[in-house]
Amino acid sequence: MKGPRETDFAYQAVYRYLTHLISEPVSDTRVRLPSLRQLAERLSVSISTIQYAYSLLEKEGRVYSVAKSGYYALPVSFIRPACSGNDLLETVYVNARRPGMLVLSSDEPALLQPLDSPLLLLERELLRQYPRLPQPTSQPCGERELRAALAARYTSSPARCWHADDVYIGADLRGVLEILIAVLCLKDAVVVVESPCDWTILRLFQDNDVQVIELSLHADGGLDLDHLQVLLETEPVRLVMLSSGLNMPRGSVAGESNRLSIAQLLARHGSWVLENDCYGELEFEPDGPRFRDLLDPDRLIVFSTFEKVIGPEAPYGYVLSRQLRGELQRHFLLRSFRLSPIRQKAIARLYNNGRIDQHLLVLRRLLKERKVQMTQLLEERLADALHFVDPQGGATVWVRSLRQVNVRGVFHRLLKQQVVVAPGELFSLRGLHAQHLRLSHTFGGEHDLGAALGLLGDALRLEAID
């Protein structure tokens, strides 16, 4: 672990190390795993890297945490087989981590051009500047330098300006969203979301008893203005969640006139808006205002993560809000996220020295090139079986079967061929998108994409519903 890495991320090596620990035979059914700090020292990596590897295992149901005690796991004999459960999302997660799988279900744009090497280089330089001295006063909302860098990046005018005290940084996106659910009192409240919607957000809302109303996007990527107006007039809507620009997994962007009309409607109703900016930097050709440029900033909350742009070495999530300062500070203090101040400073330097913007130019170009390759293959091989939305950003393609098929059957047939796809039903809580799939065009390894699409075509034909 102490040598330089060329083709591997640190978290992947930590993940493999932990899976070996879990698999070791033990007498007790409950296995206590090393602490974040112990592993960081043992493997010579940052605490945030250890935390990310643990989070992957937690998503797979192989690890669970106990407050003030640590992480625990069951021996391998107690872990359910990869495909035996009824939880489709868990099956996707577990199989995506199996060796030898072609993962066409992932959404990891930064894998094409990770910033882990420059980030860790900056971190080493900062460690020389800030040797191991007693830590300064705790900063439960995140390192001040990084909060200031984000505030500057999101400021677009004197009326829409942000300050460091409006920015809050957590260990990961899930933790930040859990805090927002608590601060906004969303349990049993009504929230309108775009559909399709990221499965992480949907599951989190579901687990916290949030009443979700899904607003399906039009074919052109715009929101249904009339439907939203009816919802605002007839339902006790606490919050409307919108993508800043690029909707994922569809990969579409609402037209500027549609965005303006939606913003005007929300302003008339005085609605609170939660803006999902996780993919805001990943449009191939950024154009037009973000929703936050059209909305009242005092009724706006923005959330995002560094991971989609920088990579898994920066898993932190963050939120911007001008009106909820006291409650957010209290909840972040109670949560006590353990974040590396040096890594946060390193990320701040990437923003302040312009490295992020240089990186984004390259990343967008690479993503667009891979998108073109994928969509050309889809047109050549599966034009008679699938329709796809031509993505305007991101690392995935949203496809729909032209015939009625059993998509779960397609999914399981492909698993047997060591291919993982993401069924569309994962992106809805009420059964929408059952004929859709999300396919990745940034998979790693030496897999033959053409052959994999051939297997997909075979599975679609075999699972056709007469």
Side-chain angles (χ1 to χ4, degrees):
M1 295 290 295
K2 296 183 180 181
R5 305 184 328 278
E6 293 181 359
T7 60
D8 207 5
F9 289 115
Y11 84 93
Q12 292 172 323
V14 174
Y15 174 88
R16 287 194 295 271
Y17 178 81
L18 287 170
T19 57
H20 285 304
L21 283 184
I22 293 169
S23 301
E24 289 175 358
V26 293
S27 56
D28 190 1
T29 58
R30 193 169 90 148
V31 182
R32 185 171 184 174
L33 296 168
S35 70
L36 300 177
R37 190 168 298 281
Q38 287 172 334
L39 273 179
E41 293 175 355
R42 182 186 306 177
L43 303 177
S44 299
V45 297
S46 69
I47 286 177
S48 61
T49 299
I50 303 297
Q51 198 162 33
Y52 188 78
Y54 267 134
S55 73
L56 293 176
L57 290 163
E58 203 164 9
K59 288 175 181 176
E60 295 170 8
R62 305 181 67 181
V63 163
Y64 61 96
S65 59
V66 177
K68 299 183 180 179
S69 179
Y71 284 93
Y72 292 83
L74 293 174
V76 69
S77 59
F78 283 74
I79 298 171
R80 286 180 293 174
C83 298
S84 65
N86 292 322
D87 190 319
L88 181 60
L89 181 56
E90 180 184 352
T91 306
V92 170
Y93 271 130
V94 172
N95 283 280
R97 303 296 166 192
R98 289 170 55 203
M101 302 298 285
L102 171 53
V103 184
L104 286 180
S105 60
S106 66
D107 180 15
E108 300 180 71
L111 287 183
L112 276 186
Q113 183 75 7
L115 263 178
D116 61 323
S117 294
L119 177 63
L120 298 180
L121 180 62
L122 266 174
E123 197 173 64
R124 287 194 292 271
E125 291 176 357
L126 287 166
L127 282 170
R128 287 194 291 270
Q129 295 175 29
Y130 301 90
R132 295 182 181 276
L133 298 173
Q135 289 295 323
T137 305
S138 173
Q139 299 186 62
C141 298
E143 182 69 23
R144 186 78 179 182
E145 186 176 347
L146 181 53
R147 296 169 72 194
L150 288 172
R153 192 169 186 85
Y154 277 84
T155 293
S156 59
S157 71
R160 291 183 169 81
C161 61
W162 302 89
H163 302 286
D165 289 338
D166 301 325
V167 183
Y168 309 83
I169 301 168
D172 54 27
L173 184 61
R174 182 182 180 87
V176 166
L177 289 174
E178 286 175 340
I179 287 176
L180 283 177
I181 288 171
V183 168
L184 295 167
C185 302
L186 295 184
K187 180 179 172 62
D188 298 321
V190 176
V191 174
V192 175
V193 306
E194 297 171 335
S195 188
C197 178
D198 184 278
W199 62 44
T200 301
I201 298 170
L202 289 178
R203 285 297 182 97
L204 201 54
F205 282 165
Q206 186 179 52
D207 292 345
N208 286 274
D209 299 318
V210 179
Q211 305 302 307
V212 175
I213 297 179
E214 299 179 43
L215 188 64
S216 294
L217 296 175
H218 288 312
D220 63 0
L223 284 164
D224 189 328
L225 182 67
D226 293 335
H227 187 191
L228 179 58
Q229 182 169 349
V230 170
L231 291 175
L232 293 174
E233 291 173 351
T234 61
E235 300 284 349
V237 176
R238 177 77 55 80
L239 185 73
V240 178
M241 191 180 79
L242 301 170
S243 301
S244 60
L246 182 67
N247 168 273
M248 297 302 293
R250 258 186 124 257
S252 58
V253 178
E256 188 171 338
S257 61
N258 180 258
R259 275 180 275 179
L260 182 58
S261 297
I262 294 294
Q264 291 170 343
L265 173 63
L266 293 169
R268 288 197 299 272
H269 284 267
S271 303
W272 274 95
V273 177
L274 181 62
E275 183 184 272
N276 179 353
D277 197 40
C278 294
Y279 301 90
E281 303 271 26
L282 294 177
E283 286 184 50
F284 298 143
E285 298 174 6
D287 185 31
R290 302 283 189 257
F291 264 114
R292 62 179 172 269
D293 300 321
L294 304 170
L295 297 165
D296 178 359
D298 290 330
R299 304 289 289 177
L300 174 68
I301 306 160
V302 182
F303 72 88
S304 188
T305 174
F306 303 104
E307 188 177 349
K308 298 300 180 186
V309 170
I310 296 177
E313 297 292 349
Y316 310 135
Y318 60 88
V319 60
L320 292 86
S321 171
R322 287 173 30 164
Q323 293 298 311
L324 302 172
R325 184 173 295 178
E327 278 295 287
L328 283 169
Q329 287 177 348
R330 184 173 73 85
H331 277 80
F332 271 80
L333 181 62
L334 290 172
R335 182 61 69 96
S336 299
F337 291 120
R338 298 177 64 182
L339 311 182
S340 163
I342 294 297
R343 177 149 299 187
Q344 291 180 79
K345 283 181 178 292
I347 295 172
R349 304 293 167 88
L350 291 175
Y351 279 92
N352 290 330
N353 65 17
R355 184 63 187 269
I356 285 286
D357 293 308
Q358 297 169 15
H359 164 70
L360 281 167
L361 291 174
V362 176
L363 180 58
R364 291 183 192 122
R365 175 177 57 79
L366 293 174
L367 287 169
K368 188 172 183 179
E369 289 173 357
R370 292 293 288 267
K371 182 270 295 191
V372 170
Q373 294 171 9
M374 169 69 92
T375 54
Q376 285 178 345
L377 277 173
L378 287 171
E379 287 176 341
E380 292 170 6
R381 310 287 180 88
L382 295 173
D384 63 335
L386 292 174
H387 173 269
F388 64 86
V389 175
D390 190 24
Q392 298 178 56
T396 62
V397 182
W398 185 245
V399 303
R400 174 177 57 83
S401 174
L402 294 175
R403 295 185 294 272
Q404 284 289 111
V405 298
N406 176 1
V407 173
R408 281 211 181 200
V410 170
F411 169 74
H412 286 291
R413 281 185 182 274
L414 290 172
L415 279 188
K416 294 176 182 178
Q417 302 290 332
Q418 295 189 299
V419 178
V420 187
V421 294
E425 66 178 273
L426 292 172
F427 304 91
S428 170
L429 292 178
R430 60 185 185 92
L432 303 178
H433 321 304
Q435 295 299 302
H436 289 78
L437 294 165
R438 187 188 72 183
L439 304 178
S440 170
H441 56 70
T442 56
F443 58 91
E446 301 300 322
H447 296 280
D448 184 340
L449 178 58
L453 293 181
L455 294 173
L456 172 58
D458 293 341
L460 288 167
R461 284 187 286 274
L462 290 168
E463 292 296 333
I465 300 172
D466 296 327

